[in-house]
Every structure is written in structure tokens, then in C-alpha cells.
Amino acid sequence: MWFLEADIALRLLGGCLLWAVLSMLARKLWSQASLNRFLVILDLALIAYVSEWLAVFYAVYTVVTYGIAHLAGRGGSDTVRRVRFVLCCLLCAVPFFYLRLLDLFPELPLLFALTGLAYNMLKAVDAVYYVYYTGERLDFLHYANYMLFFPVLTAGPILRYRDFSRSLARPESVNGESLTRDCKRLIRGYFKKVVLLVLVGAVLSRLAALDPRPWISLAACLVSYLLLWLDMSGYADIAIAMGGFLGLKVPENFKSPLKAASFTQFWRNWHVSLTDWIREHIFVVLNGKRLNRFQGAFMGFGTMMVMGLWHGFSLTFVLDGLMNGSLLAIEHLLGITTVKRGANRYYVWFRRCIVTVVFAFTTIFYTLDQAQLAAVLRGFVTI
């Protein structure tokens, strides 16, 4: 990832620290709100250093999707507004669908920038939802900063327009205490990505190369889980820390997933911003917030299928969505989405172990190449 390259990382950190100093001065001599008008310049400058084409693409995409979101808020009959709302969402997603089409037809020309496209499409659609359901117009500078906010340009956590706009209007105070907190989190994130990820990756490769045995394959799954968590949570730590340097809140993306005693709880704690986005923007809108057992099962299954296809149009992601979606649906149908308070602690730990092992098994389809994957899967049936 580009943010791990030393020169780019130094410029990103330099930009964040420069803004932190300006924020402290602005609070005393000027105003934070006035300073925030220039944040979009910092965003574009840092993105342009990574890639001028990337900066141009996202500048154009921001302007175009701002117009689309404005269109979603226009008046008319309920039917006209609903149809226009759906069309606006689809228009925001055109580059994303074209990107997924490239997975199936790689000979097609590359028309759009790839970096962070899936995440930024979700942000643009969220803005369309905001305008449609609130009836409010978007502030262009808020929207531009929202779309171009460089700490989360390439990956999660996924921002919501209403939350980001609120944070931008009332940024947190940047002081010595907040800088110390965010520096510690930044170091933790880079330590996960640069040091631990390499070490754990080497361990996983060694396990995949051993003679296939059930216990070796199980160990490979658990190490694969750790690898994926280090990769994703490490980036989230970096993004949250950089947002803190700017006085802006970036939401948490992981909330102790190992403590989840059901798959329903697990997906509320793992990649939280993505699962919440899919559930709230698709299935809650379709079914309403009060769901019976069968609707909950459908929503859980559908959420996992959409999440799988969001990652890519391939058999691996389809099977992953089917497996995780089926598990959520079964939990809803059986009424075991949660564990009651006061339940036997051994039972709770047993449920946690089941969730951990099953999810660990699914991670090997993301972390291993075909030869390693075949060896690990063969190990489960080798006596």
C-alpha cells in the first residue's frame, strides 16, 4: 500500500502535523471553521503527490457526485423522487461496477482510478441517502473534504456524511494530550503493518508448506485470521490517528471481535463500518427497523452476499458470502444471535471458540495463494 512507502508516509505525517499546528494557532488567533475551508487543498496536495491522475479522478468524481446528490433532493411526486433516488445511487456506483466488470473482462480499457474506489462509492451513495431522507442540501466544502479526506481514501473505516460534516463543523481540540494519544495509535498501526504483519505472514507460509495434517491446517487458519486482523486493524489505527491529528473523528472499525459469542455479534464487531453501511443502506431501508425472525435471517444472508460481491465478482467471494450469510440466517432462525447475560462462562467460551475457528477458516481464501490453499484444505482430510 502506498501509505507504507517511506517518502509518502513522511509527507502524510508532515501534512497532518502541519495542520495540527495550524489548528492550535487558529483557535487562538483566528477560527477553526475558517481554517477548515482550506483542508481540501491539503487533501488534494497529498493525494496528488501519490498520483496526479488519482487526484484528478477524485476531484472530478467529487464534483460529479455532488451534482448527483443535489439532484436526489429535488422535488416531485413520491414515485418520481424514489425512482430518481435509485438512479442517483446507481450513477454514483457506475465506476465501481465498471471496475468489477474488469474482473470478468480484463481486456476492457481502464477508464477509472482503482485506488479506494469501492470505499468512495459507498461514501457518495451515503451522501445521496442523506439528501433524500433529510431534505437538506450538502455544503460543497464539507462534501469535498468528506470525499477527499486522505486518511480513509484507500480503505476503511467508511465515513458517513452526517458524522463527518458534524465533526468538521465542530472539530476536536488539538493539544499535547491528543497528539500524544494519536502518536501512540499511529505507531501501533505502523508496527502492525510493517513488523508484525511480515512476521505472521512468514509463519503462515511455513505452516502452508508443511506436510498436510489437521492440526497444522487448523493452526494455519488461526494464523491467517491474525494476519487479516493485523492488516485491516493496522490501517484503521493509522487512519484514526491521522484523523485525530486533524481534529476530525474517524470511527472505530474493530470492537473486540474475539469476544463475540455468535456470528451476528461478530459482524457487529468486525469491519463495523462496512457491515453497518450495508445493513442500514440496503436491508433496513427495504424491510424497516423492526424485523421478525425470518426478515432478520434474510437481512443477515443478504448482507453477507452483498459484502462478498462488494469485494469482487468471483467464485471465492460468492462462496464466502453464501457461507457467512447462511450462518447468520441460521442464527436468526434459531434465535441464538446473542448469549443471555448470566450464561455459563464455559458455554460462552465454547461459542466464542466456534465463531473464531469458523471465521478463521474463511480467511484462508483471502490470505493464501491457490497452491497454499489446496495444501491447507487437504490437511483437514488427511489422517
Side-chain angles (χ1 to χ4, degrees), residues 122-356:
L122 297 183
K123 291 197 295 182
V125 172
D126 179 76
V128 172
Y129 269 72
Y130 177 84
V131 171
Y132 178 76
Y133 283 103
T134 66
E136 299 180 12
R137 296 189 60 176
L138 302 179
D139 180 284
F140 179 73
L141 277 179
H142 280 209
Y143 183 75
N145 282 313
Y146 166 70
M147 291 298 298
L148 299 171
F149 192 53
F150 63 87
V152 294
L153 184 74
T154 61
I158 301 168
L159 300 179
R160 308 292 180 85
Y161 176 78
R162 64 180 183 273
D163 298 328
F164 182 84
S165 181
R166 189 182 303 119
S167 179
L168 190 65
R170 298 180 180 83
E172 296 179 352
S173 175
V174 178
N175 50 45
E177 182 179 354
S178 69
L179 288 174
T180 301
R181 176 200 65 203
D182 294 326
C183 280
K184 288 180 179 179
R185 184 141 198 184
L186 185 76
I187 292 170
R188 184 164 71 239
Y190 272 106
F191 185 70
K192 288 179 181 177
K193 295 285 291 184
V194 177
V195 180
L196 294 181
L197 197 62
V198 174
L199 295 176
V200 173
V203 172
L204 181 59
S205 297
R206 290 292 297 273
L207 288 171
L210 295 175
D211 291 335
R213 290 292 185 274
W215 56 88
I216 292 175
S217 293
L218 177 59
C221 289
L222 295 174
V223 173
S224 174
Y225 182 153
L226 177 60
L227 182 78
L228 195 62
W229 177 79
L230 288 171
D231 187 18
M232 298 177 66
S233 69
Y235 183 80
D237 287 337
I238 294 170
I240 291 169
M242 287 187 176
F245 291 142
L246 303 175
L248 301 176
K249 185 174 180 58
V250 175
E252 295 288 344
N253 219 20
F254 295 88
K255 299 177 181 178
S256 303
L258 285 175
K259 294 181 180 180
S262 70
F263 294 101
T264 302
Q265 290 178 335
F266 176 84
W267 287 109
R268 290 171 182 166
N269 299 341
W270 175 277
H271 209 333
V272 179
S273 61
L274 177 57
T275 52
D276 283 352
W277 192 100
I278 294 173
R279 184 174 63 252
E280 293 175 9
H281 288 74
I282 300 177
F283 296 102
V284 170
V285 171
L286 293 176
N287 292 323
K289 294 186 177 181
R290 290 188 175 183
L291 306 176
N292 60 36
R293 184 174 298 185
F294 295 99
Q295 289 173 331
F298 171 77
M299 187 175 77
F301 182 83
T303 298
M304 290 297 103
M305 286 301 301
V306 171
M307 185 184 296
L309 294 174
W310 178 80
H311 281 94
F313 291 172
S314 68
L315 181 60
T316 297
F317 295 121
V318 170
L319 293 176
D320 181 68
L322 282 171
M323 179 179 176
N324 286 302
S326 297
L327 291 170
L328 290 185
I330 290 171
E331 284 189 345
H332 278 87
L333 291 174
L334 297 179
I336 55 172
T337 57
T338 59
V339 176
K340 295 180 180 180
R341 290 185 178 182
N344 184 285
R345 63 176 180 174
Y346 296 108
Y347 172 71
V348 174
W349 278 101
F350 173 75
R351 291 276 299 268
R352 288 175 177 173
C353 288
I354 293 296
V355 171
T356 298

